[in-house]
Amino acid sequence: MTVQTHTPADVPAKNTAATTPAGALDKGKDGRGATTVADGVVAKIAGIAIQEIPGVHALGGGAARAIGTLREKVGQKDLTQGVSVEVGQTQVAVDVTLVVEYPHPLQEVADNARDAVYTAIEDLVGMEVTEVNITITDIHVPSEDADADDAGREPRVA
């Protein structure tokens, strides 16, 4: 978990004694408060951003995907599956494990996923992303079982 703190010198004061009645200073807006962002929140934001990338079939390795499939069957999707983050005071490092759909170019999918994570975390969390490491553990090839099922059926048109 990370805590971001700002000193009044970092953030321009919006409420000063000259413009605000005595005792009415808003401590959250003048830089004297702290914002805490849990590691799980950062991981979830990264996971959501990656799932929207064309060519990403799934997040996580084999065991994580198997457990994820069970969770989805009971209506609980783990958006942090395959994503691990290391959150500091102002910086984040992200490691992602994913499966790419065939025939998408692996490096292009990895680059797009990396860009999405950088953008999402920097825009939504407001922290600097130092690195996003992507590990591609598998490629998903559409099953040929579906073609075999179609071969046993009668044609729909004559």
Side-chain angles (χ1 to χ4, degrees):
M1 187 174 300
T2 182
V3 176
Q4 291 180 310
T5 56
H6 297 283
T7 62
D10 295 339
V11 179
K14 294 182 181 178
N15 299 327
T16 62
T19 61
T20 307
L25 290 176
D26 184 358
K27 297 190 188 276
K29 293 185 179 178
D30 65 357
R32 294 185 212 156
T35 301
T36 303
V37 180
D39 296 0
V41 172
V42 177
K44 190 177 281 191
I45 288 170
I48 291 169
I50 292 169
Q51 289 178 351
E52 298 174 357
I53 302 301
V56 172
H57 176 70
L59 294 170
R65 287 195 336 259
I67 293 170
T69 301
L70 292 173
R71 282 187 177 183
E72 286 181 23
K73 290 187 187 233
V74 295
Q76 296 177 341
K77 184 167 184 163
D78 183 9
L79 297 172
T80 62
Q81 174 181 306
V83 179
S84 91
V85 297
E86 187 176 330
V87 182
Q89 290 293 327
T90 60
Q91 297 178 326
V92 178
V94 182
D95 294 320
V96 178
T97 304
L98 54 87
V99 177
V100 176
E101 294 176 355
Y102 179 84
H104 289 274
L106 301 180
Q107 191 60 48
E108 182 179 313
V109 172
D111 289 342
N112 291 340
R114 185 174 289 109
D115 291 343
V117 169
Y118 269 93
T119 301
I121 292 175
E122 289 177 351
D123 290 351
L124 297 174
V125 181
M127 298 179 79
E128 177 189 0
V129 179
T130 58
E131 65 182 7
V132 176
N133 299 310
I134 307 249
T135 303
I136 300 172
T137 58
D138 199 0
I139 59 169
H140 176 260
V141 180
S143 176
E144 294 182 8
D145 295 337
D147 294 337
D149 291 342
D150 291 341
R153 294 185 190 159
E154 293 182 33
R156 293 177 31 180
V157 293

